[in-house]
Amino acid sequence: MSRETRAERAPRSERTGNEVARKLRADGGEQLATADGDIETAIRENHPALITYITAGDPSLEDTKAYVEALDRGGADLIELGLPFSEPTAEGPTIQAAINRALDAGTTPAQFFDLVDELETEAPLLVMTYYNMILQYGPSEASRASKAGAAKPQNKPDVRPFVERAADAGLSGIIVPDLPAEEADPLRDACDDHDIDLVFIVAPTTEGERLDRIMSRVSGFAYVQARLGTTGARADVSNATHDSLARLAGYDVPKAVGFGVSEGDHAAEIVAAGADGVIVGSALVDIIADHGAGDAPAAAELEAKARELKQGARRGREEAPEPEQP
Amino acid sequence: MSNTESDHADASADQANRKRTFGDYGGQYVPEALMPALQELEDAYERYVLENEDGFMDEFSERMRDFGGRPTPLQHADRLSERYDRDIYLKREDLVHGGAHKLNNALGQVLLAKYMGKERIIAETGAGQHGTATAMAAAHLDMPCEIYMGRTDVNRQRPNVYRMRMNGAAVNPVEAGSGTLKEAINETLRDWATTVENTHYVIGSVVGPHPFPRLVRDFQSVIGAEAREQIQEQAGRLPDSVVACAGGGSNTMGAFHEFVPDESVDLYAVEAGGSSLKIDEEEGVAPNSATLSTGTDGVLHGALTKLLQTDDGQIVESHSVSAGLDYAGVGPELSRLVETGRVTPTSVDDEAALNGFHRLSNLEGIIPALESSHALGYLEENHEELGDLVVVNVSGRGDKDLETVLEETEKRDLEAAPDVEVFDA
């Protein structure tokens, strides 16, 4: 993989106005030495991109396989798979319930990676999980366990086994909702070594130096959190979305907006506001929950929903202001 | 990076890192939306708590005196001293307003929120002690207050729910999971992620992301500061050991902090051994809350610390007869102090704690909280290794636990139990 910096990257003809207008960071800080991976390519080639989330193992891993394939057919350009963690503090009720269903079904990290091994989708896959799941993956219990009452050093948990397995399985990116940029260096380094993108979330409260810090570490895309709070389908597009996209306009990384996006019209509005992609999770998880157990009963509806969202995003591009010529 | 300016930037980044952690423990593992609020809190912590800006710490101390009842006595326990043939002193945090050390932190944080211009207080509670302390502090300082409490805890800690309501706090039951402290923290974090701009989250222990473990420790360190002065006045020297129970660890760090530099003083953190120290991986259940003694390193609720978890990293349900110790994590600074060998982690089981409860009630006329009873259980079993002069932190009073204690005691047919058949007719 070539190691050109973002500064050296040639402008691409298919970029939208926002992308062409992007400028380098004003402070000239060190740019992350990562070339376009699968994720940026997928977003740029399918612009505006549809990014979908479902929880692996909800309600079973067999269903998840069928659902991922359905989303792929329906036009999802990137697919996030949630690896369930018992304490999903960033999630609203919908995805909390999905995670509980997946855990009740006995979903483990090992099974999760087996599923990813089997999947052959056109859309690159990302894993979304909490940091403890990444830290604990790998070393055997024997090497980590400390004896009761003893205060001797134990092997520290390490992010590398997870990242290595993710790379082996063909995952293109990782999103960790409880890992801010300040704590991310070990994972960022491991991801760089394995050419995996590490996506960071940019919140409505993120600005100034912190925004710079995040944007100097992000790769793949910046996950723009549309509103304060937790994940969950909403009836409208938040004003914070427009403000956040404006704050990010100067950074040369694709921006995708999530948290509350549930309909094609939302997708259109968000893309018209300058986003390179929309991220939809809870609205899809709702469909899975409504259909319950069976032989992947939600597949057709998921495919149709993906299509609606993708069409919405395309409509948004037509409504977007004409690109400025450099 | 090689030029001097970036070296300088690296050095100051290193310094910032060290402040955020205790060795490798601690840190700030939270959703991005909360990071600016943590920075704002860190700034307020430095100005008001560390530097006493605008006389913040003076006001805190005054209010803890007039409203909270500080200082609390350090009492020589005559009959326990006789029983164990050494001098046992009790730090009487059960006499703080509200009946536990919890007010030290709650009042400190609510006052800090006020100085920061926040308009609303939220907090989690397990047994209800932190919730009641926060509700009292919020009423005292005229701040609107909402408490998240697991459904199971709401049902089993009714008196505390009534107390919070009496003080004007809203109590929001959390239906998720096992309906205990862990779920209550999750839900409070979710509220905070939505309302962070005008709301302060009064976390109840020395847990959570930086700066909470330091902030809470500093508000609680009044326990050890008083005890250290009192024991020298009363016994003429520093103690040989300090014993405190440990769940999340706020009374533990509060009792220990001022003694940490005194290398001659041994520090014992007594955890809830529950019914067994072994985790049931299959069920995802630990029949104990002995995190320091048996846990492994991981990230929960914003910090890298010792946890009760499965090999895959799922957090398990902890258990203890004492609701206040029932937590699968522990403060990161305690994890560090155990790692360096400064603090000795120990545990006693439910039965030893229940016996400790009865013993102190019977011998000294003090009904201790079931949490504190773990420290008393350890004293009974291991007094010979504690030296001639021992301070035990009685972190709270046990009125709240009477029903549980009677029920659990009867189940186990403990000899120490008083006869309460007077009610049966």
Side-chain angles (χ1 to χ4, degrees), chain A residues 39-121:
Chain A
I39 293 177
E40 268 195 71
T41 306
I43 293 175
R44 295 194 197 284
E45 287 179 356
N46 302 291
H47 200 274
L50 171 64
I51 305 171
T52 60
Y53 167 94
I54 59 174
T55 303
D58 168 30
S60 76
L61 285 162
E62 294 74 45
D63 290 327
T64 302
K65 183 164 188 287
Y67 293 163
V68 168
E69 287 161 356
L71 292 168
D72 197 40
R73 283 195 303 275
D77 301 304
L78 291 170
I79 298 174
E80 295 174 17
L81 273 174
L83 168 61
F85 174 53
S86 58
E87 318 301 320
T89 51
E91 317 299 347
T94 304
I95 293 178
Q96 281 179 54
I99 287 173
N100 285 337
R101 289 191 295 271
L103 289 174
D104 288 346
T107 309
T108 66
Q111 293 169 356
F112 171 84
F113 284 123
D114 291 346
L115 166 71
V116 177
D117 284 337
E118 279 178 39
L119 282 167
E120 288 173 16
T121 54

Side-chain angles (χ1 to χ4, degrees), chain B residues 141-302:
Chain B
L141 293 166
D142 191 22
M143 290 277 267
C145 175
E146 286 181 44
I147 308 290
Y148 288 90
M149 189 171 185
R151 170 58 74 188
T152 308
D153 286 334
V154 167
N155 293 340
R156 69 180 173 181
Q157 306 285 342
R158 280 168 175 268
N160 278 338
V161 175
Y162 296 140
R163 290 166 77 194
M164 289 183 263
R165 297 288 300 122
M166 291 292 164
N167 287 137
V171 178
N172 305 326
V174 180
E175 310 289 346
S178 63
T180 60
L181 178 60
K182 184 162 65 69
E183 289 77 26
I185 296 178
N186 291 347
E187 205 54 35
T188 318
L189 281 169
R190 292 183 187 116
D191 179 314
W192 204 32
T194 314
T195 59
V196 61
E197 286 160 314
N198 72 350
T199 297
H200 177 67
Y201 175 10
V202 178
I203 207 160
S205 190
V206 287
V207 300
H210 173 71
F212 281 113
R214 279 180 171 78
L215 176 69
V216 176
R217 174 201 71 197
D218 287 357
F219 287 138
Q220 291 292 0
S221 66
V222 64
I223 302 172
E226 286 177 7
R228 193 172 180 280
E229 205 165 293
Q230 289 163 326
I231 191 91
Q232 293 184 89
E233 219 165 82
Q234 295 172 39
R237 68 176 178 96
L238 288 174
D240 296 315
S241 53
V242 178
V243 184
C245 66
S250 71
N251 96 88
T252 335
M253 278 314 304
F256 291 175
H257 183 60
E258 294 285 330
F259 289 105
V260 167
D262 300 323
E263 283 175 18
S264 67
V265 181
D266 292 335
L267 305 173
Y268 292 88
V270 187
E271 299 188 292
S275 56
S276 159
L277 288 182
K278 211 170 154 6
I279 288 183
D280 183 342
E281 284 262 345
E282 196 87 335
E283 292 293 314
V285 167
N288 64 72
S289 306
T291 316
L292 290 169
S293 308
T294 68
T296 52
D297 293 354
V299 166
L300 175 65
H301 295 146

Side-chain angles (χ1 to χ4, degrees), chain A residues 30 84-92 96 100 103 107-110 131-133 135-141 144-157 177-183 201-207 210 213-214 225 227-230, chain B residues 1 17 20-21 24-36 39 176-177 182-183 185-187 189-191 193-197 277 281 292-301 304 306-307 309-316 338-341 343-345:
Chain A
E30 193 183 16
F85 174 53
S86 58
E87 318 301 320
T89 51
E91 317 299 347
Q96 281 179 54
N100 285 337
L103 289 174
T107 309
T108 66
Y131 196 47
N132 199 47
M133 298 303 293
L135 281 179
Q136 304 307 327
Y137 184 80
S140 72
E141 63 276 22
R144 277 193 289 119
S146 63
K147 290 273 180 285
K152 59 188 171 221
Q154 53 177 322
N155 290 337
K156 295 286 175 192
D178 63 343
L179 188 71
E182 281 77 355
E183 305 290 356
I201 294 171
V202 176
T205 48
T206 310
E207 42 195 30
R210 297 214 59 264
R213 196 173 296 155
I214 292 171
Q225 183 180 334
R227 64 188 80 223
L228 283 175
T230 52
Chain B
M1 288 199 213
N17 268 335
R20 289 192 359 253
T21 55
D24 289 337
Y25 294 109
Q28 294 176 306
Y29 300 89
V30 294
E32 170 58 27
L34 295 179
M35 287 299 289
Q39 285 192 324
K182 184 162 65 69
E183 289 77 26
I185 296 178
N186 291 347
E187 205 54 35
L189 281 169
R190 292 183 187 116
D191 179 314
T194 314
T195 59
V196 61
E197 286 160 314
L277 288 182
E281 284 262 345
L292 290 169
S293 308
T294 68
T296 52
D297 293 354
V299 166
L300 175 65
H301 295 146
L304 178 68
K306 287 185 183 293
L307 302 177
Q309 59 183 332
T310 66
D311 289 342
D312 283 342
Q314 307 296 357
I315 309 305
V316 302
V338 165
E339 183 185 50
T340 61
V343 166
T344 306

Side-chain angles (χ1 to χ4, degrees), chain A residues 117-320:
Chain A
D117 284 337
E118 279 178 39
L119 282 167
E120 288 173 16
T121 54
E122 197 173 316
L125 301 174
L126 298 89
V127 55
M128 182 156 185
T129 195
Y130 287 76
Y131 196 47
N132 199 47
M133 298 303 293
I134 294 174
L135 281 179
Q136 304 307 327
Y137 184 80
S140 72
E141 63 276 22
S143 65
R144 277 193 289 119
S146 63
K147 290 273 180 285
K152 59 188 171 221
Q154 53 177 322
N155 290 337
K156 295 286 175 192
D158 182 9
V159 299
R160 287 189 177 264
F162 184 95
V163 176
E164 281 160 19
R165 182 68 181 90
D168 279 352
L171 285 164
S172 301
I174 301 181
I175 309 176
V176 191
D178 63 343
L179 188 71
E182 281 77 355
E183 305 290 356
D185 286 349
L187 187 59
R188 176 72 268 177
D189 291 346
C191 285
D192 283 348
D193 290 348
H194 292 276
D195 291 332
I196 287 186
D197 282 320
L198 183 58
V199 172
F200 286 91
I201 294 171
V202 176
T205 48
T206 310
E207 42 195 30
E209 271 180 36
R210 297 214 59 264
L211 189 56
D212 283 341
R213 196 173 296 155
I214 292 171
M215 297 310 281
S216 70
R217 285 169 174 78
V218 73
S219 64
F221 64 92
Y223 189 132
V224 181
Q225 183 180 334
R227 64 188 80 223
L228 283 175
T230 52
T231 56
R234 305 297 209 290
D236 62 343
V237 172
S238 153
N239 284 337
T241 306
H242 298 262
D243 297 344
S244 293
L245 287 170
R247 276 206 307 287
L248 286 167
Y251 294 95
D252 183 27
V253 173
K255 295 108 194 163
V257 175
F259 277 51
V261 184
S262 61
E263 291 166 22
D265 288 346
H266 299 164
E269 187 177 342
I270 288 165
V271 169
D276 304 301
V278 293
I279 308 164
V280 183
S282 294
L284 302 171
V285 168
D286 273 335
I287 293 172
I288 294 173
D290 286 348
H291 284 79
D295 189 11
E301 201 173 321
L302 284 173
E303 186 179 338
K305 186 71 182 179
R307 199 156 281 132
E308 173 207 322
L309 291 160
K310 181 71 189 180
Q311 279 163 2
R314 286 211 183 97
R315 202 159 63 240
R317 184 182 52 192
E318 284 150 21
E319 291 161 13

